[in-house]
Amino acid sequence: MVRLAAILREEAGRLRPGDRLPSSRELMRVHGVSPVTVSRALSRLATEGRVIVRPGSGTYVAPAQARVENAPDLSWQTVALGDRVVDDTDVVGLLTPPPEGVVPLTGGYLNPSIRPARALSAAGARAMRRPGVWEVPPLGGLPELRGWFACELGGDVTAADVLVVSGGQAALTHALRALAAPGTPLLVETPTYPGALAAARAAGLRATAVPMDGDGVRPDLLAEAFAVTGARVFLCQPTLHNPTGATLPLDRRRQVLAVARAAGAFVVEDDYARYFATSPVPPPLAALDEHGTVVHINSLTKVLSPNMRVAGLVARGPAARRLRASQIVESFFVARPLQETALEFVGSPAWRRHLDTLESELTARRNALAGALAAFAPAAEIHLLPRGGLHLWVRLPRHLDEEAVVERARRAGVLVSPGRIYYPAEPPGPRIRVSHSAAAHTAELTEGVRRLATAVEEA
């Protein structure tokens, strides 16, 4: 709906007052959307005063006077705000639900059919009966929940090293703001998660790319990047990296730690996919760290529900104190009922049952998506078949226009993520990320790839 409203807003701006916009039927045909989507988009424009909807007659561009009458002049804010822009475009695109009838091969959350909704509701009901559930929690988080996150990580991490925050994105934002000053460089894998790039830009950091290969970030080039830029923070996803799916081998993990320690730098480890591995993976960097080099993030949001915004942020030494201060100043604490619900769930048999079910489901989905791409879109080359995760990273033929493919796919009724949003600088060529977690079932994945194949052939 948001995308259609933007298209119609632009079209209305080109027309004269009183001109008629295309009919609802025509909009449905051209843009491949449902009647509900068209109705909502037109309603939004009518609320903005841009169009007038006349039932039985059509939709017309509103008189210019109707749109500007009594409108406040807010142009002064441009000067007051300055040029530091917070750009949420790429992140919003990943979070926006797909229109009706469109296959979502994008997004990073589980389809409702594979979320443990009933068990979460039961855990929430039990949590609401806990004594003091509506009292102010300890500022660092419930001790039992902090202890659980510490046990999950292993090594010599204790509950005292854990800070409970509002989800992985909040943890990432806290870490970048606390560890790096505005205007300084931040090293990132390339490609990398768009939410990380958005958080870095919002914090005033300069993201600098460090190349990867099939085994993840290259330690030799990481060392060179530290030397050239003087950066003091490296952000990475060593397990089932988003978007490539690469998992850093144990020897490289130790090399990364050694390189960062030699540079006197922090490593922010976004362990978002620790519960999505379908075969054994090496221990987290933080479990191998003896010197407080790693700041580790483990979130329950992706594995449980978009609304379970609870994560454990692990740090030691002065960095931990700074992160705790940042959390308190910005948001005080995570709501206790949510923490209590998380604790109830991960402490119940439903947690292990959910992980077991998820492993088989994600394996089936990954294989179905990879098989469909090989069968219907052989020109789209899969970077690697990951050991789990939610996505496949796909290289398009070099002669194709990535933006055109993504747009044609949308018109064909399937959403994919454009590769450009995963790069801090110019991308090396046309790429897309296709996800298998948001679709309803494997048959929908196959249908989505059929539609994508049409877009690739026509581009």
Side-chain angles (χ1 to χ4, degrees):
M1 186 275 288
V2 174
R3 188 187 298 271
L4 180 59
I7 293 172
L8 295 179
R9 191 180 293 112
E10 182 179 344
E11 186 169 347
R14 292 195 299 264
L15 298 175
R16 296 173 300 177
D19 284 351
R20 190 175 185 273
L21 268 67
S23 67
S24 296
R25 187 183 301 274
E26 180 69 7
L27 293 174
M28 291 163 53
R29 185 187 65 80
V30 171
H31 299 285
V33 295
S34 68
V36 173
T37 299
V38 172
S39 176
R40 289 177 177 173
L42 292 176
S43 294
R44 171 170 289 193
L45 265 63
T47 302
E48 296 173 1
R50 297 177 182 274
V51 301
I52 297 174
V53 179
R54 296 172 183 162
S57 175
T59 303
Y60 301 85
V61 178
Q65 184 177 2
R67 294 201 300 269
V68 301
E69 185 178 358
N70 299 323
D73 181 6
L74 305 178
S75 59
W76 65 272
Q77 293 187 1
T78 302
V79 177
L81 288 170
D83 59 0
R84 184 176 168 186
V85 176
V86 178
D87 186 0
D88 65 352
T89 306
D90 296 337
V91 178
V92 167
L94 294 173
L95 294 174
T96 302
E100 183 181 348
V102 173
V103 178
L105 296 185
T106 187
Y109 293 124
L110 302 179
N111 184 272
S113 65
I114 52 176
R115 295 177 198 159
R118 288 188 178 181
L120 279 173
S121 296
R126 294 194 302 272
M128 292 306 102
R129 295 193 292 270
R130 287 186 168 210
V133 67
W134 293 107
E135 298 297 325
V136 175
L139 296 182
L142 296 178
E144 301 90 343
L145 187 56
R146 295 168 69 187
W148 182 84
F149 276 117
C151 288
E152 287 290 288
L153 183 52
D156 60 356
V157 176
T158 69
D161 301 321
V162 180
L163 176 67
V164 177
V165 297
S166 298
Q169 187 67 21
L172 193 58
T173 300
H174 277 310
L176 297 185
R177 288 180 178 174
L179 302 177
T184 59
L186 167 72
L187 301 186
V188 298
E189 300 156 314
T190 185
T192 194
Y193 165 53
L197 295 176
R201 288 190 290 264
L205 306 180
R206 294 182 284 109
T208 300
V210 183
M212 304 173 63
D213 59 20
D215 285 330
V217 69
R218 290 180 50 183
D220 57 332
L221 297 182
L222 177 63
E224 183 178 340
F226 273 127
V228 170
T229 65
R232 289 294 180 264
V233 181
F234 169 51
L235 170 64
C236 62
Q237 295 177 328
T239 300
L240 296 169
H241 169 263
N242 178 14
T244 67
T247 293
L248 204 64
L250 181 58
D251 60 337
R252 280 206 188 181
R253 294 183 184 228
R254 293 196 171 108
Q255 291 175 50
V256 166
L257 288 176
V259 167
R261 179 157 169 73
F266 291 100
V267 175
V268 177
E269 180 182 23
D270 181 5
D271 203 9
Y272 86 100
R274 65 177 295 117
Y275 302 118
F276 299 142
T278 55
S279 62
V281 295
L285 293 173
L288 306 171
D289 174 32
E290 299 176 353
H291 305 287
T293 299
V294 179
V295 173
H296 180 269
I297 300 169
N298 176 15
S299 174
L300 292 174
T301 304
K302 287 187 181 296
V303 71
L304 294 182
S305 164
N307 292 300
M308 180 52 73
R309 307 213 66 79
V310 174
L313 181 59
V314 175
R316 289 175 283 185
R321 289 191 287 276
R322 182 174 293 187
L323 285 163
R324 283 177 171 79
S326 172
Q327 156 92 346
I328 292 171
V329 168
E330 184 166 314
S331 56
F332 293 170
F333 50 81
V334 177
R336 184 163 187 159
L338 196 57
Q339 292 192 58
E340 298 278 12
T341 299
L343 190 58
E344 279 284 348
F345 186 85
V346 298
S348 72
W351 167 242
R352 184 50 54 187
R353 287 198 302 269
H354 172 57
L355 294 185
D356 290 342
T357 301
L358 196 58
E359 180 179 343
S360 59
E361 180 69 26
L362 293 184
T363 299
R365 286 167 172 261
R366 179 203 61 193
N367 293 344
L369 182 58
L373 285 168
F376 302 113
E381 180 184 351
I382 299 173
H383 174 70
L384 60 84
L385 193 66
R387 304 191 226 175
L390 308 177
H391 322 289
L392 295 179
W393 186 236
V394 175
R395 182 185 296 110
L396 299 175
R398 295 185 62 179
H399 69 276
L400 293 186
D401 183 309
E402 174 188 302
E403 186 176 346
V405 170
V406 173
E407 178 59 23
R408 286 181 183 275
R410 184 190 65 80
R411 292 184 179 181
V414 60
L415 299 181
V416 296
S417 298
R420 60 167 179 76
I421 68 176
Y422 296 86
Y423 290 93
E426 295 83 0
R431 306 283 192 276
I432 56 173
R433 191 196 72 173
V434 289
S435 304
H436 56 70
S437 59
H441 38 64
T442 55
E444 188 173 50
L445 289 173
T446 301
E447 175 58 26
V449 173
R450 287 179 184 270
R451 299 178 186 184
L452 173 62
T454 301
V456 172
E457 292 170 1
E458 293 178 354

